């Protein structure tokens, strides 16, 4: 018979081997680094201009970043920092290369969510983050999933649970409880409102004093930061239930949204959430804070059925929030009832030559109409490898495979991102309309 003690023993054995496993996945220094991008990639795939035009611009202005030339080739290779400097300084046909972004508006927030495991949530979030960064946007990813796949893919492995979403929620509980306890006596009765006392096990952790920046970690991509997750944060669901009991007035679902409200509006352009495969305290924080909801699903019937259940349970949970909480409680920049600017369903692991997949695509389209993304994520060998090695297609060097194989994999995510960007810009417009 096995108890929690045996499970803890297995966990400790796993922790001892984490260092070795990281070495198999990342660089020998256990630190993930970002490769350089060839002049062909920069011109045709990132800036979308002719190679000869790009080379002519570089030749005409020696002060522009020139990249590095490898000893065995004529191709120039540019770092992401150099790509972004070129983006800021170059104009093609008098047109700037910087991406569109409404002035004076906060970052758009998008949640990638579904409670069907294996739907590709982390893969989609990772590729959207990398594609947006290559497009010139500044991105913050927030990993709500204790499996921490997105965090590991970003090269963030040594993460303490205090600096995850759990830490943000505990910090919010402390601060909100302190604020509630400092309220004046009720106006009508003149009696003091009930005080909520938190035990030292929570208040003495020091989480209430943590700064906004303490939760944000840099990644190997200079324009992508992350609030990472870790396996030790899996207890957040149990802890959150306890926290609600300690302070029933605490609007737990708005904790992360209140945290994001404290980040300067111009610090990031896009904030992406990778949600756990369940509807719980973490996922409710993610969907409440989100302006856009992206729901990935595999192309099978059971996955369609699970997705249907997900949106039904999510609707019930959001309805409970809308009518089960005091509307006067502060929820930050997002209020109740919760609304989304955009909702999209995205098919993943799609094979165009598979009759079942095409039939399911048609079924999704018939049910969800314009809410279904036109371009699914196609399953290719390179896409499969990216998931296996915790790297996006954008991080993979096309010289390590045939260029056509790599190009096909990149093309599927380019199409998904281009459509995502249109949805993002539409959501930004709606945020402006509501401002």
């Amino acid at each position: 018979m096995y108890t929690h003690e045996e499970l803890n023993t297995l966990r400790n054995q796993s922790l001892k081997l984490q260092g070795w496993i990281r070495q198999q996945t990342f660089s020998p220094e256990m630190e993930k680094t970002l490769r350089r991008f060839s002049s062909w990639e920069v011109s045709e795939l990132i800036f979308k201009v002719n190679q000869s035009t790009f080379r002519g611009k570089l030749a005409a202005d020696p002060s522009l970043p020139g990249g590095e030339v490898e000893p065995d080739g004529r191709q120039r290779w540019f770092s992401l920092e150099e790509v972004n400097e070129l983006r800021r300084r170059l104009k093609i046909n008098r047109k700037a290369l910087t991406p569109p972004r409404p002035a004076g508006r906060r970052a758009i927030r998008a949640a990638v969510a579904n409670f069907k495991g294996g739907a590709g949530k982390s893969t989609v979030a990772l590729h959207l983050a990398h594609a947006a960064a290559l497009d010139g946007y500044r991105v913050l990813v927030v990993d709500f999933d204790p499996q921490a796949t997105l965090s590991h893919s970003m090269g963030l492995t040594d993460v303490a649970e205090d600096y995850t979403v759990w830490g943000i929620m505990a910090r919010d509980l402390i601060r909100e409880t302190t604020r509630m306890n400092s309220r004046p006596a009720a106006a009508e009765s003149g009696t003091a409102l009930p005080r909520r006392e938190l035990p030292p096990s929570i208040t003495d952790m020091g989480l209430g004093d943590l700064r906004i920046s303490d939760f944000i970690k840099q990644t190997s991509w200079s324009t992508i930061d992350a609030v990472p997750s870790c396996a030790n944060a899996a207890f957040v669901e149990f802890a959150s239930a306890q926290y609600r009991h300690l302070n029933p007035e605490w609007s737990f679902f708005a904790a992360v949204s209140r945290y994001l409200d404290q980040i300067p509006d111009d610090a990031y352009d896009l904030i992406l959430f990778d949600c756990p495969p369940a509807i719980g305290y973490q996922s409710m924080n993610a969907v409440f804070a989100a302006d856009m909801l992206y729901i990935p699903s595999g192309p099978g019937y059971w996955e369609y059925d699970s997705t249907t259940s997900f949106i039904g349970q999510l609707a019930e949970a959001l309805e409970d929030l809308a009518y089960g909480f005091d509307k006067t409680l502060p929820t930050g920049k997002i209020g109740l009832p919760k609304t989304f600017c955009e909702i999209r369903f995205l098919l993943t692991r799609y094979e165009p030559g598979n009759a079942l997949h095409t039939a399911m695509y048609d079924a999704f389209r018939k049910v969800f109409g314009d809410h279904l993304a036109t371009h699914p994520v196609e399953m290719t060998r390179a896409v499969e490898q990216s998931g296996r090695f915790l790297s996006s297609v954008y991080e993979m060097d096309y010289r390590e495979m045939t260029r056509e194989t790599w190009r096909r994999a990149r093309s599927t995510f380019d199409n998904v991102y281009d459509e995502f960007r249109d949805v993002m810009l539409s959501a930004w417009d709606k945020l402006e309309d509501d401002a």
Side-chain angles (χ1 to χ4, degrees):
M1 305 295 287
Y2 302 98
T3 68
H4 63 280
E5 294 178 350
E6 283 75 23
L7 290 173
N8 196 47
T9 298
L10 292 173
R11 171 185 173 274
N12 291 335
Q13 290 175 355
S14 177
L15 289 174
K16 290 179 181 179
L17 285 175
Q18 274 188 351
W20 178 82
I21 292 173
R22 289 171 194 148
Q23 287 182 333
Q24 312 310 305
T25 307
F26 303 124
S27 63
E29 298 80 15
M30 295 171 60
E31 180 179 346
K32 192 169 186 178
T33 58
L34 180 61
R35 70 178 180 90
R36 287 177 168 265
F37 301 91
S38 70
S39 56
W40 165 68
E41 291 177 89
V42 175
S43 59
E44 297 196 0
L45 301 182
I46 297 177
F47 292 160
K48 296 179 173 56
V49 301
N50 186 277
Q51 272 199 83
S52 60
T53 301
F54 179 61
R55 289 173 181 157
K57 291 287 185 180
L58 293 181
D61 187 352
S63 71
L64 291 171
E68 294 181 357
V69 180
E70 295 187 351
D72 58 347
R74 296 179 299 171
Q75 191 85 260
R76 290 186 177 274
W77 295 80
F78 298 83
S79 68
L80 181 60
E81 292 79 5
E82 291 173 322
V83 171
N84 283 326
E85 184 177 349
L86 289 168
R87 188 193 310 278
R88 288 189 294 268
R89 295 178 58 185
L90 281 179
K91 286 189 177 181
I92 305 297
N93 297 325
R94 298 182 179 180
K95 183 180 179 181
L97 298 176
T98 52
R101 201 243 199 255
R105 307 305 299 167
R106 66 168 173 82
I108 203 77
R109 306 173 187 174
V112 182
N114 197 334
F115 62 33
K116 179 68 174 71
K121 295 184 293 295
S122 298
T123 298
V124 169
L126 179 69
H127 282 83
L128 289 178
H130 288 173
L134 288 178
D135 198 20
Y137 288 113
R138 299 158 302 163
V139 182
L140 174 66
V141 297
V142 184
D143 194 350
F144 287 82
D145 191 347
Q147 297 177 87
T149 301
L150 181 62
S151 299
H152 292 169
S153 298
M154 292 286 180
L156 301 172
T157 53
D158 295 314
V159 178
E161 59 265 26
D162 288 3
Y163 301 100
T164 66
V165 166
W166 170 76
I168 290 175
M169 293 180 67
R171 173 183 181 270
D172 186 78
L173 169 68
I174 296 169
R175 293 190 165 207
E176 281 296 289
T177 302
T178 300
R179 182 191 61 78
M180 291 175 183
N181 287 338
S182 64
R183 289 179 298 189
E188 293 183 3
S189 64
T191 58
L193 295 172
R195 287 183 59 84
R196 303 298 182 181
E197 298 296 337
L198 302 179
S201 60
I202 296 176
T203 57
D204 291 352
M205 289 188 296
L207 296 177
D209 298 325
L210 289 179
R211 300 165 300 177
I212 299 299
S213 58
D214 289 334
F215 297 95
I216 298 175
K217 309 300 179 186
Q218 294 180 335
T219 73
S220 57
W221 290 64
S222 58
T223 52
I224 301 179
D225 291 335
V227 175
S229 184
C230 69
N232 288 356
F235 65 87
V236 68
E237 296 299 315
F238 302 100
S240 299
Q242 178 193 15
Y243 296 163
R244 286 193 67 190
H245 175 73
L246 293 172
N247 185 353
E249 289 184 293
W250 176 48
S251 50
F252 69 92
F253 54 88
V256 173
S257 185
R258 278 190 289 262
Y259 165 79
L260 296 175
D261 288 346
Q262 298 171 64
I263 297 176
D265 287 346
D266 60 352
Y268 299 100
D269 306 308
L270 170 65
I271 302 178
L272 269 172
F273 307 146
D274 184 25
C275 300
I279 293 180
Y281 291 99
Q282 293 183 88
S283 56
M284 288 308 297
N285 262 270
V287 297
F288 180 79
D291 306 307
M292 296 164 49
L293 185 60
Y294 251 64
I295 305 173
S297 173
Y301 171 76
W302 296 115
E303 293 161 307
Y304 160 77
D305 191 54
S306 177
T307 298
T308 302
S309 298
F310 169 73
I311 59 177
Q313 293 187 33
L314 182 59
E316 291 177 2
L318 292 175
E319 184 178 15
D320 288 343
L321 293 185
Y323 298 104
F325 279 84
D326 184 351
K327 303 298 188 299
T328 64
L329 292 177
T331 55
K333 296 180 180 179
I334 295 179
L336 289 171
K338 168 62 188 171
T339 60
F340 298 101
C341 295
E342 297 287 351
I343 297 175
R344 288 293 186 277
F345 297 85
L346 174 67
L347 282 189
T348 59
R349 305 195 320 276
Y350 182 79
E351 299 173 10
N354 186 313
L356 172 62
H357 290 191
T358 55
M360 288 307 301
Y361 178 89
D362 292 339
F364 268 82
R365 174 65 71 185
K366 185 174 183 179
V367 172
F368 300 117
D370 292 340
H371 289 296
L372 177 66
T374 302
H375 299 285
V377 176
E378 294 186 20
M379 176 55 71
T380 69
R381 186 171 67 87
V383 171
E384 185 180 14
Q385 286 182 348
S386 75
R388 185 184 308 154
F389 295 108
L390 299 180
S391 295
S392 77
V393 169
Y394 300 105
E395 294 176 301
M396 300 169 68
D397 193 326
Y398 60 81
R399 294 171 296 181
E400 297 176 358
M401 62 191 76
T402 65
R403 184 179 291 198
E404 182 55 36
T405 298
W406 179 85
R407 184 67 185 268
R408 182 186 168 203
R410 168 157 181 159
S411 177
T412 188
F413 284 109
D414 283 348
N415 290 335
V416 169
Y417 170 72
D418 287 345
E419 191 170 356
F420 172 84
R421 190 174 87 156
D422 289 341
V423 175
M424 179 174 71
L425 294 175
S426 173
W428 247 327
D429 287 340
K430 293 177 181 178
L431 282 185
E432 287 189 307
D433 293 340
D434 294 339

